């Protein structure tokens, strides 16, 4: 008890330090830097979480294997970039190859996700959600342990992150640039650009394609959609595959991220953040996922800064803040920012 009091007292910021930190916080350069870094984190959270919300929106399936798909994407992307870029390459070549790798990983994992839906998830649609949760959770654990064994046998340390893959990050993305008077690392800008491209692509898919129409209609009333002669089960397979592919693309991006890197730990770590974003935004809501990702990303950025500046000595402040946001949203608006009371299902 005495030790807890001492630890708590040590975590209370010094008044002089707090005043100095607040002065720096409200400087335009600091504020702009934190916003850009927050948007970079938000882009990663969105890319990973949007697949999860699409799957739940149409199918009503809480996919607990989603983090494992991101983890696999990070390793697959890492293998490809290490093979191609280990000898060094120019900035344009590196970015071009990253795009190709992300496209290849997306295609491969989309097929894998579709196959898993047909063989393992579809047979239990008629059972209670508990079966789906246990099935997807089991898939995630098998993928995690399989990856851990493979990484260990190949001499690639699964923990800490695979530094060789991260080492292929082009130098210009590690450089800090002047953005509106703030020094911002180039990689955060790269994440924002990629996040915007993915958001636009998903939005166009949902609003400009026939399958997007099926998904939006199925999210509202899947029985009516099926009554109109639409093969909803086929749409389930497509959506589950796309959700898997998007999670894997997020994993490819995490492979280069200085805060993450390719690691088997991504399975659980990424899954938690993805669920927080999806629940805050509202299960099944594309718009809600986008807004929630920005809220979580910016909150993560600001609280990380509070810890790095020494104002707060509790290293778990970003995680606590993110989950506190989740609790507040569940109390004030249980269905999420843009969610509806009933969504998904089959």
């Amino acid at each position: 008890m005495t030790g807890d009091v001492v630890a708590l007292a040590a975590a209370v910021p010094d008044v002089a330090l707090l005043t100095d930190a607040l002065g720096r916080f409200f400087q335009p350069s600091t504020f702009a830097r934190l916003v850009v870094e927050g948007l970079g984190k938000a882009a990663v959270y969105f890319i990973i979480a949007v697949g999860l919300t699409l799957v739940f929106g149409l199918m009503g399936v809480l996919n607990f294997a989603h983090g494992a798909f991101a983890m696999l994407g990070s390793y697959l992307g890492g293998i490809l970039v290490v093979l191609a870029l280990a000898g060094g390459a120019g900035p344009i070549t590196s970015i071009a190859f990253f795009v190709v790798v992300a496209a290849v990983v997306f295609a491969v994992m989309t097929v894998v996700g579709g196959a898993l839906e047909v063989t393992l998830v579809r047979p239990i649609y008629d059972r209670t959600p508990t079966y789906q949760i246990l099935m997807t959770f089991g898939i995630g654990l098998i993928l995690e342990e399989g990856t851990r064994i493979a990484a260990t046998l190949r001499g690639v340390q699964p923990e800490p992150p695979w530094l060789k893959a991260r080492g292929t990050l082009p130098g210009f993305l590690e450089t800090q640039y002047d953005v509106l008077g703030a020094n911002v690392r180039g990689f955060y800008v790269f994440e924002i650009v990629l996040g915007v491209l993915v958001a636009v692509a998903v939005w166009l898919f949902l609003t400009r394609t026939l399958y997007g129409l099926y998904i939006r209609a199925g999210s509202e009333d899947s029985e009516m959609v099926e009554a109109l002669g639409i093969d909803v089960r086929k749409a389930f397979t497509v959506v589950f595959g796309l959700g898997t592919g998007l999670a894997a693309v997020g994993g490819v991006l995490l492979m280069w991220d200085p805060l993450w890197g390719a690691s088997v730990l991504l399975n659980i770590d990424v899954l938690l953040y993805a669920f927080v974003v999806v629940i805050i935004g509202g299960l099944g809501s594309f718009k809600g996922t986008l807004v929630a990702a920005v809220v979580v990303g910016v909150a993560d950025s600001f609280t990380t800064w509070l810890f790095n500046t020494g104002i707060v000595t509790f290293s778990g402040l970003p995680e606590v803040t993110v989950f506190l946001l989740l609790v507040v949203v569940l109390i004030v608006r249980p269905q999420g920012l843009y969610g509806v009371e009933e969504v998904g299902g089959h």
Side-chain angles (χ1 to χ4, degrees), residues 208-238:
R208 297 291 188 272
T209 67
L210 193 57
Y211 263 102
L213 177 62
Y214 294 165
I215 293 171
R216 288 185 291 125
S219 299
E220 299 291 335
D221 192 337
S222 60
E223 293 181 355
M224 178 60 71
V225 172
E226 198 164 17
L228 293 175
I230 297 171
D231 187 354
V232 176
R233 293 300 174 96
K234 187 177 180 181
F236 287 176
T237 304
V238 172

Side-chain angles (χ1 to χ4, degrees), residues 40-125:
K41 293 181 177 182
V44 176
Y45 297 152
F46 171 78
I47 294 173
I48 294 174
V50 69
L52 189 64
T53 202
L54 288 180
V55 169
F56 184 84
L58 178 65
M59 305 165 63
V61 173
L62 285 172
N63 182 13
F64 279 78
H66 203 73
F69 298 146
M71 174 200 67
L72 282 182
S74 71
Y75 276 104
L76 288 176
I79 291 171
L80 294 175
V81 296
V82 166
L83 290 175
L85 302 179
I92 297 178
T93 304
S94 299
I95 296 301
F97 195 80
F98 177 88
V99 174
V100 173
V101 167
V104 170
V105 172
F106 173 77
V108 171
M109 291 304 295
T110 297
V111 174
V112 171
L116 288 174
E117 191 276 337
V118 172
T119 56
L120 298 178
V121 181
R122 182 177 295 182
I124 58 174
Y125 277 148

Side-chain angles (χ1 to χ4, degrees), residues 318-334:
E319 291 81 4
V320 170
T321 304
V322 168
F323 283 99
L324 187 60
L325 283 173
L326 173 65
V327 172
V328 171
V329 169
L330 287 177
I331 293 174
V332 177
R333 190 174 170 79

